[in-house]
Amino acid sequence: MAPMGIRLSPLGIGLFCLLGLGVLYHVYSGFLTWRFSSFLLGERAGDTVDLRELLAVAVRAAELGGVEVKAVRESNKLNENLKSKTREGADEKMTRGDLLSNRKMANLIKNSFPGVQVNSEEHLGEDDKEEIYWDRVIPSEIKEIVKNPKLVSSDSITIWIDPLDATQEYTENLINYVTTMVCVAVNGKPVIGVIHKPFTGYTAWAMVDGGSNTKRRASYNEKTPTIIVSRSHSGAVKEVTLQTFGNQTKIISAGGSGYKVLSLLDVTGNEQETADVYIHKTYIKKWDICAGNAILSALGGHMTTLKGDDIIYTGSDGNEGGLLASIAMDHNSLVERLSSKISSK
Ligand SMILES: Nc1ncnc2c1ncn2[C@@H]1O[C@H](COP(=O)(O)O)[C@@H](OP(=O)(O)O)[C@H]1O
Ligand SMILES: [Mg+2]
Ligand SMILES: [Mg+2]
Ligand SMILES: [Mg+2]
């Protein structure tokens, strides 16, 4: 008999310890898995990263950012302010939705892959840092489509984040145009694209030579295409489009570069208009277009400057040459049709 009247059986002690270990494992497993695989995979500059993991974290980041975007819009406290002016003199707005989404997206990606270059539209200050990590679980939907890991050097990677695309429309409560986007470029080529619609919950993703959860439509009108263009940064795009494709050409004005790329795909049932070609005439930033470019490339489509040049997603954040995006069409012939009209505008 023990002094306090409690008999300590070795079996009981063993079971108690096992239970305790189980609880500790449950609480810390995500963190430990992350630490351990960081150690194994290595995310310091010059080491390798798995593109399939980057795809999974990009999807997670776009979804988490989307939660913030939606919550701020629903709170009606946008704290809208003027960030700057575009070259054409339009207001470049920023809201609490842009900032909070950026905070989630940029922290998640930077913390989980500290060795890769991340360029985000919004600034992440010291006070904005958050200890959030990806749990390193690749969703089964991704594993079923992208069967194998794809290792590349982390030095070759540039990630582009747009925490809220179509801010102008967001402030006008035209929420269907709004997306969050992540793009992974390898040696400047857009290879992974994620476009998420926070207000419908739809996410399109694709990896070049890897697979995609979205597809092209069954048919496109190449002869008299429906053209989708910007509603708030249009420049002379309508004029040029009508001169190129004729006065009967249907032009859709829509907000958001992510939204306009989705309009070229088979995403019916997600509150999407559909179009055949996306044209943008003014200056635009790489975080606005990289994800769409990657998705189109993965599906066999094209996004180029208006002159047909590839856009390189390293270095400066601006794209000077406008934008022409198409899929399942003779892209070169579109470039030729446009080029004579562009040079005179
Ligand atoms: N001339 C320009 N200068 C700077 N950004 C531009 C631009 N034209 C378009 N953009 C950006 O490209 C995105 C899509 O624009 P649009 O809706 O006009 O097609 C928007 O991104 P953000 O909302 O992320 O800032 C917008 O700010
Ligand atoms: Mg944008
Ligand atoms: Mg933005
Ligand atoms: Mg912006």
Side-chain angles (χ1 to χ4, degrees), residues 121 162-167 179 181 256-258 284-285 287-289:
E121 178 178 358
D162 190 342
L164 198 169
D165 188 48
T167 300
T179 60
M181 297 193 278
S257 186
I284 196 162
K285 300 289 182 69
W287 40 71
D288 296 309
I289 57 177

Side-chain angles (χ1 to χ4, degrees), residues 12 16 28 43 47 53 71 82 102 118 123 139-140 142 154 158 218 246 268 282-284 289 292 322 332:
F16 184 75
Y28 289 109
E43 270 107 33
D47 292 341
E53 290 200 340
L82 188 61
N102 186 57
V118 178
H123 175 68
S140 52
I142 291 179
S154 57
T158 314
T268 35
T282 63
Y283 181 69
I284 196 162
I289 57 177
N332 286 337

Side-chain angles (χ1 to χ4, degrees), residues 306-326:
L306 292 168
K307 286 186 177 160
D309 295 327
D310 284 337
I311 300 157
I312 312 297
Y313 294 91
T314 47
S316 91
D317 58 22
N319 172 55
E320 301 279 350
L323 214 64
L324 175 64
S326 75

Side-chain angles (χ1 to χ4, degrees), residues 9-27:
S9 103
L11 184 67
I13 294 172
L15 277 175
F16 184 75
C17 289
L18 267 180
L19 192 72
L21 278 175
V23 170
L24 278 176
Y25 175 77
H26 184 72
V27 172

Side-chain angles (χ1 to χ4, degrees), residues 5 37 76 103 114 124 128 132 136 147 149 170 179-180 214 262 264 267 280 285 298 305 310 321:
S37 40
N76 257 336
R103 203 172 153 146
L124 190 74
D128 300 318
I132 47 169
R136 301 238 160 214
K147 301 263 187 247
Y170 183 67
T179 60
T180 58
T214 181
L262 292 180
L264 305 181
V267 286
H280 192 82
K285 300 289 182 69
T305 65
D310 284 337

